[in-house]
Amino acid sequence: RTTPAVEMKALEYINVGYQRLLTFEVAGGGFDWYGKPPANIVLSAYGLLEFSDMAKVYEIDGRVIDRTRDWVLKQQQADGSWKMPERTSWSWTGLSGDFVVTSYVAWSLAEAGFKGPEVEKAIRWIRKHLPDAKDTYSLALAADALAAFDSKDKTLADLLAQLDDKKVHDKGLSSWRQDGSTAFYAQGEYASVETTALVALAMMRTPDFANTVNQALSYIAKMKDSRGTWGS
């Protein structure tokens, strides 16, 4: 139902958002809450997701994506994982530790189209450490990383089947409950909304869960507040 006026307004918002995001880039690469060093690994991965998504509909400086990707790759540990430096404030530490951080960063890189040996090494690390996942949210992030890297991965198929068994089905709606916080500090019903969205994104990569995805999207739509938004 788009119109030229609606499209122009959307592009205007994207441009304003793009310019705003650039102000948080840290000299030398990466992003931080206030644009001051040291850069934050999860925020930088988040920025990579934003910019690569934005580039599909809006012309941006590709060097921003390259700089961010290169900085993120330099932070990778020898075993293929990523860690959150303890000195970093607002750092998401303690939320399932390295597993959440590695899954999130690997997902952002693969989603941005980078599937080099560093990401392949991270995917192997995630497969090996799946038993370390503490909750449904962690499993959902791992599924997104695996799905973005290779949607035909056998480990992904098994993980999605496991997640499908964990869904809460009620009156034609499907959702996934998250008892603890998410990486973005969502709790309660909003943590469940965020987890459900992540599971749905992974399941969209395969044709095997179409009904569940539709039910999950219906649940997410139902959970909008009176302003048409979601909390955290």
Side-chain angles (χ1 to χ4, degrees):
R1 295 192 294 270
T2 186
T3 66
V6 169
E7 185 172 345
M8 185 176 297
K9 177 60 69 173
L11 289 173
E12 178 185 340
Y13 283 142
I14 291 173
N15 177 58
V16 171
Y18 172 52
Q19 299 300 329
R20 175 71 169 153
L21 286 169
L22 291 177
T23 66
F24 297 99
E25 186 176 16
V26 175
F31 286 79
D32 178 63
W33 294 103
Y34 303 105
K36 299 178 180 179
N40 183 297
I41 186 63
V42 176
L43 272 180
S44 299
Y46 184 44
L48 189 59
L49 278 170
E50 289 182 304
F51 288 121
S52 58
D53 223 20
M54 193 180 294
K56 299 173 185 176
V57 296
Y58 188 79
E59 185 175 351
I60 70 170
D61 186 351
R63 293 174 296 179
V64 176
I65 293 177
D66 294 341
R67 286 196 302 269
T68 306
R69 179 199 62 213
D70 292 345
W71 183 86
V72 167
L73 289 173
K74 287 179 182 177
Q75 313 311 308
Q76 189 175 27
Q77 304 297 304
D79 63 0
S81 67
W82 279 271
K83 298 179 182 295
M84 182 68 72
E86 294 182 2
R87 69 180 185 279
T88 306
S89 61
W90 295 80
S91 66
W92 294 290
T93 51
L95 300 172
S96 297
D98 297 347
F99 189 85
V100 161
V101 175
T102 301
S103 296
Y104 192 90
V105 175
W107 173 36
S108 74
L109 287 164
E111 190 71 33
F114 184 76
K115 301 182 181 181
E118 298 94 339
V119 180
E120 185 175 0
K121 191 174 186 179
I123 293 298
R124 290 198 300 268
W125 188 95
I126 291 169
R127 291 195 194 104
K128 179 180 178 181
H129 290 84
L130 270 173
D132 298 342
K134 306 297 184 185
D135 47 36
T136 305
Y137 178 78
S138 301
L139 292 174
L141 276 177
D144 280 314
L146 294 171
F149 187 75
D150 180 7
S151 62
K152 297 181 180 179
D153 187 325
K154 175 63 166 58
T155 304
L156 172 65
D158 294 341
L159 179 53
L160 290 180
Q162 179 184 346
L163 285 167
D164 196 46
D165 289 340
K166 289 177 173 288
K167 69 185 177 187
V168 176
H169 189 72
D170 182 39
K171 298 179 180 178
L173 305 178
S174 288
S175 62
W176 284 263
R177 298 290 186 255
Q178 170 63 11
D179 294 330
S181 298
T182 70
F184 293 89
Y185 293 107
Q187 295 181 344
E189 65 179 18
Y190 292 128
S192 297
V193 169
E194 188 179 331
T195 302
T196 300
L198 291 171
V199 175
L201 281 170
M203 287 185 168
M204 286 177 190
R205 301 276 186 169
T206 78
D208 303 328
F209 301 95
N211 288 336
T212 299
V213 169
N214 287 330
Q215 292 164 1
L217 295 177
S218 295
Y219 163 81
I220 292 170
K222 182 182 178 182
M223 295 302 293
K224 286 192 297 185
D225 61 26
S226 60
R227 299 170 298 169
T229 61
W230 294 267
S232 78

